[in-house]
Amino acid sequence: NFLPAFGKETLRTTAVTPQFGRNMDHGDFIHLNILEKKVHNNSEVSVQYLCSQPCIVNLEAIASSEFRTGVSVYRRRWKDEKSLYVSRTRQVRLKFPSIMVYRDDYIIRNSIIVHSVILYAWISHASGSSYDVKQNESYQRAVARNYTFLETVPPFKRPYKDHKVCLQWGADYLWTLQANKIPQCPHESDGVQILSFMYASSGEKTGIVKKFERFENRELETVRQHQIDYPMFTVSIWLYLVHYCEMDLCGILYFIDPKEMYSTPAVFLNEEGYVHIQMHLVRGDDLAVKTSFSLPLRQWFRLDLSFKGGQIEVSSVGKNLKRHHHQSFIFREDFYYDDTAGYFVLGGSGYANGIEAFFGPVKYYRLNVLETEQILNPLYDKEATEQIELYYERCMDVQEIVSEYRDIVSQGQAVQKGCVYENYYSELIHKYGEKSKCEAFMWGKELREKYHSLFKLLQEMDFSSQDEDENDAVLEVGWRIFEKAAKRLSSADGLSNAGSFIPLLLDSSCCGYHKASYFLAVIFETGLGVPVDRTKGLLYSLVGAQGDERLSVMNLGYKHYQGINNYPLDLELSYAYYSNIAIKTSLDQHTITGEQAFVETVRLMDDELLKAQTKENGDVFMWLKHEATRGNAAAQQRLAQMLFWGQQGVAKNPEAAIEWYEKGAIETEDPVLIYDYAIVLFKGQGVKKNIKLALELMKKAAAKGLPQAVNGLGWYYHNFKRDYRNAAKHWLMAEELGNPDASYNLGVLYLDGIFPGKPGRNQTVAAQYFYKAAQGGHIEGTLRCSQYYITGNMEDFPRDPEKAVIWAKHVAEKNGYLGHVIRKALNAYLELSWHEALLHYILAAETGIEVSQSNLAHICEERPDLAKKYLATDCVWRYYNFSVSQINAPSFGMYK
């Protein structure tokens, strides 16, 4: 028997055996025949083929989706070594992945949209070696090949798969509810509303952090990628500037790259009101320009900036949407701009102070350069914006009157023909109704009638002490007015006449004393003695926050965190407020002056804790003092802590606390007292610094095994000796003993790049130490971690705005000024001064403190007559609801 020759010879034999005679004219071929070409798991294909040599038949299905192309989803092969030159047919059942052929259900969670499926078929001749087989089996090397297209089925036209499993009835019911709902993909646009609500920027180093992801739409993402080295984008920002920058530059809007460097764009305000714009060029350099026009003060305007390649267009637009100023800048080289590689900041950050202003709506067009007329960014809340303008117009009048009045009186110019303004004389005028005629005062009748309450207050004040700083003098007048109003509000019938004190509080607020602003915000938001007025509540909340009043800032942070009282839920905006107070909390704890008290969790339902509350003449305090005098170290510790921090109802008295620290350190040899006394000597808190004695005491406490003392020695070597090796050695020892301060300090060494033997900054290791410190309750460590979570620039800290807010809120709620208000509320309650307790608990509860919310609801429940008389809102319902919305919600609140 002869086999056909496949060599290069030109002669071929004609001798064939009978059984091959009918097939000699046919070469290798393969055909595909499919009755139903739709992709499903019952698909069958009829494969007809002929092999002239022992062969391998291959089938492979290749699919492409929106996200991946050329994916092999089915593969089949078989050998045929005997039936040569004979056409054969084989039926093959195709089987595809479930996510291609079935609908989403409780097991198949993500059906994919398949664009195309190609079924390839080919024949490869089998050879001796396995290597040759692998080489020859590819589609490209096939001796015969064919393909056909299969029709794909959209996900919502596919059948459900019978998984042959039984679900629990609850899961089955939930699935039934959502089985036939088709999700709708939202329309994606390059226009992004960065800010839709007003933001009060106080000029501190905190602001709104925004991070942008890649477009889901492939066409938009392709355009964005192409525009990285030729950017085309527009930013539109509504602003109401209160003051120009007091520093060199204050942040309006800027981009921080993954290396924590300024990138394109960086827009700042300078001391004279001009706009400073810095850009990062494609070649890696940074260049900056400054506008020739300044931005207006105390009026709403829109700042529009468009960037195209190497060109910048800057416009200042009024409320009527007409351009007031316009300027163009052209660079010789294009800008580099990738808005997904880093994060945006509105206002301040750790790198720059913010502006003293109110931000209105902020719109960002990621891929387009627009003219002023094309930008859709309206100033939406016209009533609120007008209220802000009216407030500052009034305040300019008030400040001018106060300043001039003070100057006239203090210089003796008001003494005209028996008209002497002194306190006793003002009382006589008030008593006998005599009218004063002072020609020295230049204000007209209309102005005096408009601000009659202010003039009356000014007449009663003593201006004999001359203050050099005019701003401080006006602020002092604001403080005096507030003290008068607060005293009257706290009186027995104060809340009944709350409306009559509003002019006083408004004058105080206008003088820059923003505790009054917060009082006004709470009064109008809760309807405390007046009808509820949301617009005025918002106005004074924003004004107080812009004036950096701690409770106002916390109030706004809390409202945006929960999305309550018509404030939109906005985690980035909430973080901007909470981080401001969190930073201040850290600084306030190192300042022993001011109206501060330790924030304590004292519930009015806890009788044991209430009994432990005391005062300087209280039984508990007197007993502790007696025990401390006898040399009881525990009593001395507790007494000193109470006096130093203002705990358990005792007024803050650092000087008295230090006396007990000293007495305990010398007499009892207690390591904690020795350590505490060493710290105040190191820092000079309420006592003259004595580094030598402080070091001796710190070594003594460390020798007794006190972890914080070991850490204290490291702190001494770091701050006073710059001996980083010894500092690191002690901090590592203290960290092993579980001291969170040491963990934080080690992180600082790595962050500054001064860890001994490990040169260069290592932010990753530093962040790990900060996280460990935060887990131990360290305030600065917690604050650092919250910053990592909001920016998402650290590998171990993926962006998580909610976690950032929770951590910043945790620190902010330890603020001593807030603790002072809570303590006043508790003291009033213990003295059965219900109206005063109600007032101060409302002030604390509106900042989002859970314990104050629960206590206030409890008071309103105990005294429904009180709540009904003074509050326009349902007190019990409102504050129990607030308390159970917190992360640390109390179980009794849920029960209520």
Side-chain angles (χ1 to χ4, degrees):
N1 295 334
F2 293 96
L3 293 175
F6 292 93
K8 293 182 180 180
E9 293 83 355
T10 55
L11 295 173
R12 293 181 67 183
T13 177
T14 57
V16 292
T17 57
Q19 65 265 35
F20 291 114
R22 58 194 177 89
N23 293 319
M24 282 300 294
D25 294 334
H26 298 287
D28 297 81
F29 73 84
I30 186 166
H31 294 302
L32 297 171
N33 185 24
I34 302 178
L35 292 176
E36 189 178 3
K37 287 196 172 186
K38 287 186 178 179
V39 175
H40 56 76
N41 264 6
N42 293 319
S43 298
E44 279 197 355
V45 60
S46 176
V47 183
Q48 185 183 9
Y49 65 94
L50 182 145
C51 293
S52 61
Q53 287 187 24
C55 65
I56 299 172
V57 184
N58 298 271
L59 281 181
E60 185 173 16
I62 300 296
S64 294
S65 70
E66 187 176 3
F67 302 105
R68 296 181 65 189
T69 56
V71 180
S72 178
V73 293
Y74 173 81
R75 190 174 289 171
R76 179 83 184 274
R77 61 196 287 272
W78 65 88
K79 285 186 179 181
D80 196 333
E81 297 177 339
K82 297 179 180 179
S83 303
L84 304 180
Y85 288 106
V86 177
S87 175
R88 300 197 64 186
T89 301
R90 186 161 180 169
Q91 296 294 120
V92 178
R93 185 184 292 276
L94 302 176
K95 187 172 179 63
F96 298 107
S98 295
I99 57 174
M100 284 180 59
V101 294
Y102 294 112
R103 284 183 67 167
D104 279 358
D105 61 16
Y106 43 83
I107 292 176
I108 301 170
R109 291 299 185 185
N110 295 298
S111 291
I112 57 172
I113 300 172
V114 183
H115 292 320
S116 64
V117 179
I118 307 174
L119 181 64
Y120 293 98
W122 70 95
I123 297 172
S124 303
H125 285 164
S127 58
S129 80
S130 61
Y131 176 78
D132 290 338
V133 170
K134 289 178 181 177
Q135 287 291 310
N136 294 328
E137 270 193 38
S138 71
Y139 184 79
Q140 300 301 326
R141 292 174 176 269
V143 295
R145 56 194 174 198
N146 208 332
Y147 68 89
T148 187
F149 285 94
L150 303 181
E151 293 179 22
T152 60
V153 181
F156 292 99
K157 289 187 177 179
R158 299 174 191 168
Y160 288 112
K161 184 176 182 178
D162 183 4
H163 294 286
K164 307 293 184 185
V165 295
C166 292
L167 292 178
Q168 292 179 354
W169 71 266
D172 190 42
Y173 177 69
L174 288 173
W175 168 245
T176 306
L177 289 177
Q178 63 182 14
N180 294 309
K181 290 183 180 177
I182 299 175
Q184 298 295 313
C185 296
H187 172 69
E188 193 171 19
S189 166
D190 82 310
V192 181
Q193 195 77 41
I194 293 180
L195 185 63
S196 58
F197 199 77
M198 275 186 284
Y199 166 53
S201 174
S202 60
E204 298 292 314
K205 289 195 167 186
T206 54
I208 300 171
V209 177
K210 291 282 182 179
K211 195 173 179 74
F212 296 100
E213 303 297 334
R214 297 181 177 188
F215 287 104
E216 292 182 10
N217 182 297
R218 285 188 299 172
E219 287 78 10
L220 290 177
E221 179 57 23
T222 302
V223 173
R224 191 192 70 80
Q225 293 279 359
H226 281 305
Q227 290 184 185
I228 286 176
D229 53 5
Y230 190 86
M232 296 176 65
F233 65 97
T234 304
V235 183
S236 174
I237 308 167
W238 279 102
L239 287 170
Y240 183 93
L241 283 175
V242 179
H243 298 292
Y244 289 141
C245 185
E246 292 185 1
M247 309 291 180
D248 292 334
L249 293 172
C250 295
I252 297 175
L253 171 77
Y254 45 97
F255 190 77
I256 306 291
D257 70 13
K259 295 180 180 178
E260 296 292 318
M261 302 289 286
Y262 288 123
S263 189
T264 303
V267 183
F268 301 96
L269 182 73
N270 73 4
E271 293 168 296
E272 297 168 321
Y274 298 105
V275 182
H276 171 104
I277 307 169
Q278 183 173 306
M279 310 300 290
H280 188 66
L281 304 181
V282 170
R283 67 168 183 246
D285 297 345
D286 292 289
L287 290 177
V289 292
K290 186 178 74 172
T291 59
S292 58
F293 64 87
S294 61
L295 299 179
L297 280 176
R298 294 186 181 86
Q299 69 179 68
W300 284 101
F301 67 92
R302 199 176 78 188
L303 182 64
D304 293 341
L305 303 109
S306 62
F307 303 82
K308 182 179 181 181
Q311 184 174 343
I312 307 172
E313 302 285 335
V314 188
S315 300
S316 172
V317 182
K319 285 173 73 175
N320 55 5
L321 299 186
K322 290 184 179 178
R323 281 183 178 175
H324 292 168
H325 300 283
H326 177 78
Q327 193 169 359
S328 299
F329 301 96
I330 299 176
F331 290 72
R332 292 183 179 178
E333 190 177 348
D334 294 340
F335 310 135
Y336 179 85
Y337 179 63
D338 181 357
D339 68 352
T340 64
Y343 58 91
F344 270 106
V345 179
L346 271 178
S349 70
Y351 305 105
N353 282 71
I355 53 175
E356 292 186 59
F358 296 95
F359 282 85
V362 178
K363 190 75 175 279
Y364 168 42
Y365 295 90
R366 297 176 69 180
L367 303 176
N368 282 299
V369 175
L370 301 179
E371 294 291 329
T372 298
E373 298 75 21
Q374 297 172 303
I375 295 171
L376 295 174
N377 185 28
L379 192 59
Y380 65 99
D381 195 342
K382 289 186 177 179
E383 188 178 3
T385 53
E386 285 172 4
Q387 287 286 333
I388 287 175
E389 287 184 319
L390 291 171
Y391 170 84
Y392 280 100
E393 283 175 17
R394 185 186 193 283
C395 289
M396 286 176 69
D397 286 345
V398 169
Q399 290 179 18
E400 188 177 344
I401 289 168
V402 169
S403 182
E404 290 181 5
Y405 191 102
R406 171 186 163 278
D407 288 344
I408 291 168
V409 174
S410 59
Q411 292 170 17
Q413 295 178 8
V415 183
Q416 293 283 337
K417 297 181 182 178
C419 180
V420 181
Y421 282 91
E422 295 179 0
N423 291 340
Y424 77 93
Y425 190 58
S426 299
E427 290 173 8
L428 291 173
I429 292 172
H430 179 73
K431 187 174 180 180
Y432 297 108
E434 294 180 16
K435 300 294 181 183
S436 166
K437 295 179 181 179
C438 288
E439 296 173 6
F441 296 135
M442 71 292 292
W443 300 287
K445 182 180 178 182
E446 185 181 342
L447 196 66
R448 289 203 306 271
E449 287 179 354
K450 185 178 180 181
Y451 300 108
H452 69 278
S453 61
L454 176 62
F455 279 103
K456 186 178 178 183
L457 283 168
L458 292 173
Q459 287 177 22
E460 297 172 3
M461 288 186 185
D462 178 13
F463 292 100
S464 56
S465 57
Q466 177 76 16
D467 198 314
E468 291 181 7
D469 194 323
E470 188 176 314
N471 291 329
D472 287 347
V474 173
L475 183 62
E476 187 186 348
V477 170
W479 170 74
R480 290 190 196 181
I481 297 171
F482 173 78
E483 288 296 312
K484 186 182 285 289
K487 189 175 180 181
R488 291 181 185 176
L489 268 172
S490 299
S491 64
D493 60 344
L495 295 180
S496 302
N497 303 312
S500 63
F501 304 130
I502 286 173
L504 296 180
L505 292 170
L506 182 50
D507 289 338
S508 175
S509 170
C510 278
C511 289
Y513 197 75
H514 289 293
K515 273 189 180 179
S517 305
Y518 182 61
F519 268 65
L520 287 166
V522 171
I523 285 169
F524 283 114
E525 280 200 355
T526 62
L528 187 61
V530 298
V532 173
D533 190 328
R534 301 286 187 203
T535 304
K536 286 185 178 177
L538 170 62
L539 167 68
Y540 295 116
S541 290
L542 289 168
V543 165
Q546 198 288 314
D548 216 19
E549 164 55 34
R550 287 164 175 76
L551 271 65
S552 287
V553 177
M554 284 190 70
N555 171 40
L556 287 173
Y558 171 63
K559 298 294 167 58
H560 286 296
Y561 170 51
Q562 294 286 2
I564 50 180
N565 282 31
N566 298 325
Y567 290 83
L569 175 64
D570 189 328
L571 294 175
E572 286 96 347
L573 185 50
S574 174
Y575 177 79
Y577 290 124
Y578 270 128
S579 60
N580 182 351
I581 303 305
I583 292 169
K584 285 185 172 59
T585 298
S586 176
L587 298 171
D588 290 341
Q589 285 199 349
H590 298 289
T591 308
I592 61 175
T593 56
E595 292 185 330
Q596 296 193 65
F598 193 81
V599 178
E600 298 170 284
T601 304
V602 181
R603 300 192 183 279
L604 301 185
M605 295 73 78
D606 189 336
D607 291 334
E608 291 300 316
L609 262 180
L610 288 180
K611 287 175 185 175
Q613 302 308 304
T614 186
K615 285 190 174 181
E616 288 78 351
N617 57 353
D619 292 342
V620 175
F621 185 85
M622 297 304 289
W623 179 82
L624 278 172
K625 193 172 181 180
H626 172 70
E627 288 296 302
T629 308
R630 291 178 58 199
N632 185 323
Q636 289 174 342
Q637 273 187 38
R638 188 74 201 108
L639 200 64
Q641 288 169 0
M642 287 163 65
L643 289 164
F644 193 83
W645 297 105
Q647 293 178 338
Q648 215 168 314
V650 176
K652 197 171 183 180
N653 188 341
E655 291 78 13
I658 289 164
E659 288 179 12
W660 286 109
Y661 283 142
E662 182 181 11
K663 183 178 176 66
I666 294 169
E667 292 180 3
T668 66
E669 296 286 312
D670 179 73
V672 174
L673 287 166
I674 295 170
Y675 166 78
D676 285 336
Y677 187 46
I679 288 291
V680 296
L681 287 171
F682 268 133
K683 295 184 176 182
Q685 290 180 311
V687 69
K688 188 178 179 181
K689 275 188 181 183
N690 189 332
I691 306 301
K692 185 179 178 182
L693 178 56
L695 180 59
E696 288 176 12
L697 292 169
M698 193 65 77
K699 286 180 177 178
K700 194 174 182 180
K704 291 175 179 287
L706 192 69
Q708 55 263 47
V710 179
N711 171 73
L713 285 176
W715 179 82
Y716 165 78
Y717 286 117
H718 179 272
N719 284 279
F720 293 99
K721 294 294 184 182
R722 297 290 183 265
D723 184 348
Y724 304 129
R725 187 171 298 280
N726 251 326
K729 173 187 167 184
H730 283 88
W731 285 338
L732 286 167
M733 288 166 57
E735 198 218 8
E736 280 188 26
L737 295 169
N739 183 259
D741 289 346
S743 300
Y744 179 81
N745 292 334
L746 288 167
V748 171
L749 288 182
Y750 277 103
L751 189 66
D752 293 343
I754 54 176
F755 195 92
K758 297 181 181 178
R761 300 179 78 222
N762 191 329
Q763 292 194 67
T764 304
V765 176
Q768 290 168 359
Y769 275 114
F770 293 147
Y771 184 79
K772 191 171 182 179
Q775 294 291 87
H778 194 276
I779 283 182
E780 285 86 356
T782 305
L783 189 52
R784 290 254 186 195
C785 290
S786 76
Q787 291 166 348
Y788 292 147
Y789 280 123
I790 197 67
T791 63
N793 250 17
M794 292 293 293
E795 187 178 344
D796 294 339
F797 293 83
R799 180 167 157 85
D800 190 337
E802 185 171 10
K803 193 173 282 188
V805 171
I806 291 167
W807 285 43
K809 180 177 186 283
H810 174 72
V811 176
E813 289 180 349
K814 296 180 182 295
N815 191 274
Y817 288 90
L818 174 66
H820 179 70
V821 176
I822 297 171
R823 171 47 58 183
K824 286 177 81 170
L826 183 58
N827 286 345
Y829 177 82
L830 293 172
E831 292 167 4
L832 302 182
S833 180
W834 295 93
H835 50 279
E836 191 176 356
L838 184 75
L839 171 64
H840 288 102
Y841 269 128
I842 289 173
L843 294 170
E846 288 295 312
T847 66
I849 299 294
E850 181 278 316
V851 67
S852 294
Q853 292 170 341
S854 300
N855 285 348
L856 180 54
H858 177 73
I859 289 174
C860 293
E861 201 171 18
E862 275 191 339
R863 295 292 304 272
D865 57 317
L866 196 75
K868 191 174 180 180
K869 182 178 179 182
Y870 297 128
L871 281 167
T873 53
D874 187 331
C875 177
V876 179
W877 179 245
R878 176 184 175 88
Y879 292 105
Y880 273 139
N881 265 345
F882 282 1
S883 74
V884 298
S885 299
Q886 303 273 14
I887 290 175
N888 57 338
S891 55
F892 69 83
M894 295 178 180
Y895 170 73
K896 290 290 185 183

